[in-house]
Amino acid sequence: MTMPTLRGPHRADLRLHRTALWTGGAVLALTLAYIGWLRWAAHAYPESEGDCSAAEPCDTFLGFSSARGLLYLSLERGAVLLLLLPLLIGVFVAGPMVAREMESGVYKLSWSQSVSPARWLAAKLTTAAALAVGGTLFLMAVLRLGGSDVIGVRWNLHWADRGVYEATGPALVAYALFAVALGTLIGFAVRRTLVAMAATGLVTGVVLWGMGNLRWHLVPVKTVGGPASDKDHFPPFRLDSFSMDQGVTNATGERFYAWQCVPKPQSGFSCPTDTKITTWYMDYHPRSHFWYTQLIETGIVLALAAAATYAAFRLLRRRTP
């Protein structure tokens, strides 16, 4: 029994971009090795039990208080860096993978060798999509490996934080697929490598920024409140919740921020006439809203990816006989 092998345009794409693939594979392997090593070091070199005073300094690990501290910092920064992954995917697909072939005329060779334009474009999409999804899932798994016991628990790895939120659900995979579809569309439409790369990076960044601001308005917030006074007006905060708004109300039920008007109205702010505090309030998303927002956002992004794919094939049909 022989193992199936890639043929035709799929194989050609992999051979053409083998240097980038080897480089990407090396980065993935180094990332896994680094996080795995820190995970091991966090257990092999536990945190110092001293008070870290000048008279009794704590032991350090590569300049950090402990290996666990370096691990948490790496996870925090790594989760934010994962937001750049869709941009890198889209830029590569738009530039080296599609626009460069259109700009240099290499696509004509493929189309003349019994490969139809539609099959050529489909091969670009499916090859890039498979690699993008595989690499994204791998990095998500590495993040989980390093912080399986702290993600969503520690204050700097909160489940609603940018980066952590995207990388712990299907949203990041959806963004990777969107980047592939958008890069293919712009690369084929523009046919100029650098322009296509810049346009794809810009549009992908705008979508990431826009959805990041929109996502917490897709699901209605919950509101809690209680009696308050001038001295006691801070709502209790739970680490597993995500606060959207908090403040106090006066006797008429008008909302305002306590620090603007209590204990006396601050200059530059329009405080209500009756500043006597009666209740505090907090609008928040509980931890249970995570999957609601993830699935809704994923659906929106996948719909955008499908629209970009459809537009790419429509444009191909118009430009080819």
Side-chain angles (χ1 to χ4, degrees), residues 165 215-216 219 289-298:
Y165 168 86
R215 67 171 58 111
W216 300 117
V219 178
H289 283 188
F290 172 82
W291 284 108
Y292 293 118
T293 55
Q294 277 278 342
L295 294 177
I296 295 173
E297 182 175 353
T298 298

Side-chain angles (χ1 to χ4, degrees), residues 18-313:
R18 58 183 178 273
T19 301
L21 293 177
W22 278 109
T23 302
V27 171
L28 295 180
L30 288 174
T31 302
L32 175 60
Y34 174 71
I35 294 298
W37 171 69
L38 281 181
R39 182 78 179 183
W40 167 81
H43 293 283
Y45 302 96
E47 297 183 42
S48 173
E49 297 181 356
D51 59 2
C52 300
S53 63
E56 188 182 353
C58 292
D59 295 333
T60 61
F61 182 84
L62 300 180
F64 294 85
S65 61
S66 66
R68 189 172 298 276
L70 179 56
L71 172 63
Y72 293 159
L73 180 63
S74 299
L75 293 175
E76 180 186 0
R77 302 287 174 80
V80 175
L81 287 176
L82 281 178
L83 290 176
L84 298 177
L85 187 61
L87 275 76
L88 295 175
I89 292 172
V91 165
F92 179 80
V93 173
M97 200 164 187
V98 178
R100 182 180 295 173
E101 288 198 24
M102 304 301 296
E103 188 175 17
S104 62
V106 174
Y107 71 98
K108 296 178 181 178
L109 179 63
S110 299
W111 291 6
S112 64
Q113 294 181 345
S114 69
V115 177
S116 66
R119 184 185 172 193
W120 172 85
L121 186 60
K124 296 286 183 187
L125 278 166
T126 53
T127 301
L131 294 173
V133 170
T136 301
L137 289 175
F138 182 89
L139 290 175
M140 291 170 62
V142 171
L143 183 70
R144 280 291 189 181
L145 170 67
S148 59
D149 55 342
V150 294
I151 290 180
V153 177
R154 284 183 59 86
W155 64 270
N156 61 338
L157 291 169
H158 194 266
W159 60 270
D161 287 346
R162 294 304 305 267
V164 174
Y165 168 86
E166 287 86 354
T168 51
L172 190 61
V173 177
Y175 281 114
L177 291 174
F178 168 73
V180 170
L182 180 68
T184 303
L185 171 61
I186 294 180
F188 184 72
V190 175
R191 301 191 177 202
R192 293 293 182 271
T193 303
L194 294 179
V195 177
M197 293 171 69
T200 302
L202 177 62
V203 176
T204 305
V206 169
V207 171
L208 282 166
W209 174 81
M211 290 302 300
N213 292 325
L214 174 65
R215 67 171 58 111
W216 300 117
H217 301 283
L218 298 174
V219 178
V221 297
K222 290 188 175 183
T223 301
V224 292
S229 65
D230 289 353
K231 295 182 179 180
D232 184 16
H233 53 260
F234 292 101
F237 181 76
R238 295 180 57 184
L239 186 61
D240 62 348
S241 66
F242 178 55
S243 176
M244 295 291 292
D245 186 28
Q246 62 184 47
V248 293
T249 63
N250 59 9
T252 62
E254 194 171 359
R255 287 185 170 190
F256 59 95
Y257 296 113
W259 62 269
Q260 297 178 0
C261 306
V262 177
K264 62 181 180 178
Q266 302 294 313
S267 60
F269 297 101
S270 178
C271 296
T273 303
D274 180 8
T275 57
K276 183 179 180 181
I277 290 177
T278 58
T279 59
W280 59 262
Y281 73 90
M282 182 172 72
D283 297 333
Y284 73 101
H285 285 289
R287 182 68 172 83
S288 59
H289 283 188
F290 172 82
W291 284 108
Y292 293 118
T293 55
Q294 277 278 342
L295 294 177
I296 295 173
E297 182 175 353
T298 298
I300 293 173
V301 176
L302 288 179
L304 294 176
T309 302
Y310 175 77
F313 278 98

